[in-house]
Amino acid sequence: MKSGRGLQGWRSFLPGAGGDDPASPGVRNPKPRPRFPPGGFLPALPEAALAAWVTGPEAALAAWVTGPAGTAAAATRLDLEEAKEFKERCTQCAAVSWGLTDEGKYYCTSCHNVTERSKEVINTGAIPNTKIQAINRGLKRKRKLEKGWDWYVCEGFQQILYQQAEALKTLGVGPELKDEVLHNFWKRYLQKSKQAYCKNPVYIRGRKATVLEDNPSHSDWDSEPDVLSDFSCPSFVESGPDSQLDSRTQKPFPISKASQSETASICSGSLDGVEYSLRKEKGIVKMTMPRTLAFCYLSLLWQRETITLSDLLRFVEEGHIPYINAFQHFPEEMKLYGRDKGIFAIESWPAYEDIYKKMIEIAKFLDLPRFPDITEDCYLHPDILCMKYLMEVNLPDEMNDLTYQVVKMTGIGEVDFLTFDPIAKMAKTVKYDIQAVAVIVIVLKLLFLLDDNLEWTLSNIAEKYNEKNKEDKPWFDFRKWYQVMKKSIDEKKQKWEEARAKYVWKSEKPLYHSSIDRAVVYKRREMVVSLQKQFSALTDSAPTVEKKSPSSFQFNWTEGDSAGTCFHGHSLQGILKKKGQSLTIKNSLYWLSTQKFCRSYCKHVTTYEESNFSLSYQFVINLFSFLLRIKASSLHEEVSLIEKRLFKRKYSKTKKKSRSRKRRKY
């Protein structure tokens, strides 16, 4: 990505609404996105490190595009490794970059010039010919395939990020996220963590004094700017002549007398698996599986896409975005065992608060500039998200006017409040989805008080009116809404809990502690699979896993739906009263969710104990908490913070009273 290039296109702000298919995560909005503000671009980085991202994961580690025109040379990584020992310069272009043809002859990967020299065959016992050379090469290739490639942990995480970016692309996210935003973030992370784009990468510091076999004078090779292996993992831009490495200046990795791959293969499949698991460097954010999701959400936030953090984690849980056992999609040549198991194998679902904190941590570590502004026409603005969640939980459309007023009075819809700025003194972004849901909870409290008394009284009035006036627009009945939503949410929760209980954490690709155990583990897995097939044949049932189609909505409410009544078109007339030309709320009472906030040194703002609150409030909090897959205490905390902004005078009065009491005590 070149510095100064603007991102084109952005997502429409309400996916699945207004007659669109709710199963589609988003549709394009014809309105163009404004360019980034001055200073909003990422600093330019060296382009001579990662190879181009190719068309698919299968071809990503096999293909290596070379030549000024970007033509594909028929060289694989195995060919390049075999040809490393041939050090002569090409007679055509003077480059030292060789591959092997099927006949065993050396060819230049830069200009494709084929030499008369061929690779010698060892222990043939006969006159070498093309057929013998090909057989010998095939045996060597097989041995190298069993041994696997030399790869680093950061290359493994790069593979996973590639898979996640492709998954987001299939969900409707623009291609700019993968090719420009996530690519740049990952490059910057590799530079900041000193794994690439620097003179002394962390994974070669231990080999600094190693003397090479061929030339002892090259022992300080790692003082030169080093790069990741260009043919071991896909990078984050489409293939093209501008993104390719200059094969003439490319330096092959040196071959030391004590090969690092042989030492590492005992304890891990990756070269630096053991070192990486033990590394604890101050000030360096270590890459983990949860941080891959933090990278994805940072990219989504920069692009202002129509996927919130709760949506991202739900898509992970539903299997639409690779996370659990993502390593099993690694190419066969990337062997993973031993210490790699603890790095890439994970057996827990990602938590909202954990990913949120890691996202801020990464943004601060990368020194990212202020993100593009969250304006009123962005999907992440509370006005639009409130509209989405009102539809999700089957509440009347008229409530949207009240949520708009609460957002305006509290100032949480201002651009400066919503826009993420990692380099600010207090680097803190907004939990957009939790904030929008908290606004709806406050509106419900304003209308119905949620004290286990007023809401049922208003429900009785609405029920009587609806019986007498069946042809008119029905009044919203809180009791009926409660019954419909409780039934739906209980069914949904039961299915969700069953799916979690039945989830198989073991991957299809067996994991083993060392290369010695490989044969035993694979044999056991074959026996287990065979027994499972026999058992399913006896019981006449094949195990089927239901995979839901991705959707921004978990509930779909339409008029005449047999699942339950749709309340979108119901009126709030029984709850509101006319005051001049405007409508006001009949209920004049309100109770604060938190009377006193925790001290500044506490990790939380307030505490939440269900027994201290009404059953109606508990139901509403639990409903939205399940919808976002968050803790009830997190939502209660957000409700309390917005109430603090909404009722500033009341909180300031309580502060003055508490101060005066303290003075009297003294």
Side-chain angles (χ1 to χ4, degrees):
M1 174 180 173
K2 295 181 180 179
S3 179
R5 182 179 175 185
L7 302 182
Q8 301 295 326
W10 54 302
R11 313 305 294 161
S12 66
F13 50 73
L14 197 59
D20 294 330
D21 181 13
S24 61
V27 290
R28 289 283 181 183
N29 191 319
K31 186 178 178 181
R33 173 194 284 203
R35 287 184 174 271
F36 291 173
F41 295 102
L42 292 170
L45 292 170
E47 292 292 338
L50 298 175
W53 243 4
V54 288
T55 52
E58 295 83 6
L61 290 109
W64 183 38
V65 183
T66 55
T71 47
T76 62
R77 182 169 182 157
L78 297 171
D79 294 332
L80 295 169
E81 287 178 354
E82 285 185 349
K84 275 183 181 179
E85 48 192 65
F86 189 58
K87 300 293 183 181
E88 291 185 10
R89 291 189 176 274
C90 176
T91 55
Q92 297 286 340
C93 63
V96 185
S97 180
W98 300 100
L100 284 172
T101 64
D102 291 337
E103 291 78 18
K105 291 185 178 181
Y106 293 104
Y107 73 94
C108 179
T109 59
S110 178
C111 65
H112 298 212
N113 173 40
V114 181
T115 66
E116 294 298 323
R117 294 281 297 276
S118 60
K119 188 171 176 63
E120 293 180 4
V121 181
I122 304 168
N123 297 329
T124 58
I127 299 171
N129 54 44
T130 305
K131 189 174 181 180
I132 294 173
Q133 287 177 355
I135 292 169
N136 191 53
R137 247 176 99 239
L139 291 171
K140 283 191 174 183
R141 192 182 297 250
K142 186 179 178 182
R143 286 196 296 270
K144 287 197 174 185
L145 186 67
E146 289 175 358
K147 184 184 175 184
W149 289 341
D150 290 348
W151 61 282
Y152 293 93
V153 170
C154 61
E155 291 180 292
F157 281 118
Q158 184 168 293
Q159 270 283 349
I160 292 167
L161 284 171
Y162 171 83
Q163 296 165 24
Q164 291 172 345
E166 282 295 318
L168 288 169
K169 195 175 176 181
T170 59
L171 291 173
V173 173
E176 302 90 5
L177 182 132
K178 181 191 78 171
D179 300 333
E180 298 180 7
V181 183
L182 185 56
H183 171 226
N184 233 355
F185 286 169
W186 180 242
K187 283 170 63 180
R188 189 156 181 78
Y189 172 77
L190 292 175
Q191 185 188 47
K192 285 288 228 174
S193 59
K194 300 174 184 177
Q195 296 183 70
Y197 301 100
C198 56
K199 291 186 177 181
N200 191 17
V202 289
Y203 54 82
I204 60 170
R205 287 177 186 175
R207 293 182 290 161
K208 193 167 185 179
T210 303
V211 179
L212 304 186
E213 281 185 342
D214 296 332
N215 194 349
S217 64
H218 288 179
S219 59
D220 60 342
W221 66 277
D222 59 340
S223 63
E224 296 295 326
D226 202 347
V227 298
L228 289 179
S229 175
D230 296 316
F231 27 76
S232 63
C233 205
S235 69
F236 289 87
V237 286
E238 297 299 329
S239 57
D242 295 334
S243 62
Q244 304 306 315
L245 294 178
D246 187 357
S247 58
R248 299 184 186 186
T249 59
Q250 181 183 355
K251 291 186 177 182
F253 285 128
I255 305 166
S256 58
K257 288 182 178 179
S259 174
Q260 188 188 13
S261 61
E262 289 176 7
T263 309
S265 65
I266 300 168
C267 301
S268 67
S270 60
L271 292 176
D272 60 339
V274 178
E275 181 191 346
Y276 189 88
S277 58
L278 298 174
R279 190 181 302 152
K280 290 179 182 178
E281 192 172 346
K282 193 176 180 181
I284 299 295
V285 174
K286 197 173 176 181
M287 195 63 186
T288 58
M289 283 301 298
R291 286 194 174 102
T292 60
L293 297 179
F295 265 100
C296 289
Y297 183 62
L298 268 178
S299 305
L300 289 167
L301 185 56
W302 184 280
Q303 282 287 88
R304 299 178 290 185
E305 290 286 350
T306 60
I307 297 179
T308 60
L309 180 54
S310 59
D311 288 334
L312 178 70
L313 301 186
R314 182 166 55 84
F315 289 147
V316 167
E317 195 172 326
E318 292 173 359
H320 302 299
I321 298 174
Y323 180 73
I324 304 292
N325 298 329
F327 60 85
Q328 67 186 7
H329 301 294
F330 284 3
E332 192 182 349
E333 293 83 0
M334 287 180 72
K335 305 298 180 183
L336 185 141
Y337 55 87
R339 290 297 181 94
D340 303 328
K341 188 178 175 182
I343 298 169
F344 295 102
I346 190 165
E347 293 188 358
S348 61
W349 297 107
Y352 188 103
E353 288 294 331
D354 182 49
I355 304 300
Y356 171 78
K357 288 175 184 176
K358 282 179 169 54
M359 184 267 293
I360 296 175
E361 182 186 34
I362 290 171
K364 290 170 73 175
F365 175 69
L366 300 181
D367 291 328
L368 295 179
R370 178 185 167 103
F371 277 49
D373 292 344
I374 305 296
T375 54
E376 291 182 358
D377 52 1
C378 288
Y379 176 77
L380 297 174
H381 195 276
D383 289 341
I384 296 168
L385 281 177
C386 283
M387 192 191 308
K388 187 249 184 186
Y389 289 118
L390 285 172
M391 294 174 66
E392 182 87 57
V393 295
N394 200 11
L395 286 169
D397 298 333
E398 292 181 10
M399 284 182 64
N400 192 47
D401 295 331
L402 296 169
T403 58
Y404 174 79
Q405 289 180 36
V406 171
V407 169
K408 192 174 181 180
M409 290 173 67
T410 53
I412 60 174
E414 300 294 328
V415 173
D416 289 337
F417 179 82
L418 293 171
T419 305
F420 181 37
D421 189 2
I423 58 175
K425 287 185 179 179
M426 294 293 289
K428 185 180 180 183
T429 187
V430 177
K431 301 171 185 176
Y432 301 98
D433 38 10
I434 299 180
Q435 177 187 255
V437 163
V439 170
I440 296 173
V441 174
I442 290 170
V443 169
L444 285 171
K445 285 177 69 178
L446 287 167
L447 292 172
F448 301 101
L449 196 60
L450 300 183
D451 65 341
D452 288 342
N453 185 16
L454 181 63
E455 60 268 30
W456 309 125
T457 305
L458 294 171
S459 297
N460 293 334
I461 297 169
E463 188 178 359
K464 289 177 183 178
Y465 176 85
N466 292 337
E467 286 177 0
K468 292 179 182 178
N469 306 276
K470 292 184 178 180
E471 294 182 359
D472 296 341
K473 191 176 184 179
W475 286 6
F476 179 70
D477 187 343
F478 185 87
R479 182 186 287 110
K480 195 174 181 181
W481 172 81
Y482 167 80
Q483 292 169 352
V484 170
M485 288 307 300
K486 191 173 191 313
K487 183 185 176 183
S488 300
I489 206 74
D490 286 348
E491 290 175 358
K492 197 86 168 176
K493 201 169 186 178
Q494 186 179 355
K495 289 179 181 177
W496 175 74
E497 288 173 351
E498 287 176 0
R500 281 207 161 189
K502 292 177 181 177
Y503 189 82
V504 180
W505 292 99
K506 284 190 176 181
S507 63
E508 294 178 5
K509 182 187 282 188
L511 291 173
Y512 42 93
H513 293 287
S514 69
S515 55
I516 303 166
D517 304 329
R518 183 179 180 276
V520 178
V521 172
Y522 270 86
K523 187 67 178 176
R524 285 178 182 172
R525 177 52 60 91
E526 286 176 8
M527 290 171 65
V528 169
V529 171
S530 177
L531 287 170
Q532 284 176 345
K533 286 180 180 178
Q534 291 174 25
F535 182 76
S536 60
L538 289 169
T539 55
D540 196 22
S541 62
T544 55
V545 180
E546 292 183 8
K547 192 172 182 179
K548 300 175 184 177
S549 57
S551 173
S552 293
F553 289 88
Q554 299 179 61
F555 296 97
N556 187 21
W557 306 99
T558 53
E559 293 290 344
D561 191 1
S562 58
T565 309
C566 178
F567 294 93
H568 291 159
H570 287 214
S571 173
L572 297 175
Q573 195 173 346
I575 311 163
L576 304 175
K577 63 180 180 180
K578 273 195 173 184
K579 191 177 181 181
Q581 294 183 350
S582 60
L583 290 170
T584 58
I585 300 167
K586 284 184 180 179
N587 171 40
S588 59
L589 301 173
Y590 192 89
W591 56 273
L592 296 171
S593 302
T594 299
Q595 294 288 340
K596 192 176 180 181
F597 290 90
C598 296
R599 301 278 185 180
S600 58
Y601 52 77
C602 288
K603 290 184 179 180
H604 47 74
V605 177
T606 182
T607 55
Y608 175 69
E609 293 181 14
E610 285 192 342
S611 58
N612 296 337
F613 298 93
S614 63
L615 296 175
S616 300
Y617 182 75
Q618 289 179 39
F619 170 75
V620 171
I621 289 290
N622 291 331
L623 167 66
F624 284 111
S625 299
F626 174 73
L627 199 69
L628 301 182
R629 307 292 195 268
I630 58 173
K631 294 179 180 178
S633 57
S634 299
L635 178 54
H636 173 76
E637 183 179 306
E638 194 67 30
V639 169
S640 302
L641 290 171
I642 296 175
E643 284 179 346
K644 191 178 180 181
R645 299 175 72 94
L646 188 61
F647 301 102
K648 285 181 181 178
R649 292 180 183 177
K650 196 162 186 178
Y651 277 105
S652 60
K653 283 180 182 178
T654 54
K655 276 187 178 181
K656 287 179 182 178
K657 285 180 182 179
S658 62
R659 285 174 184 173
S660 61
R661 285 173 186 171
K662 285 179 181 179
R663 286 173 185 173
R664 285 173 189 173
K665 285 179 182 179
Y666 290 115

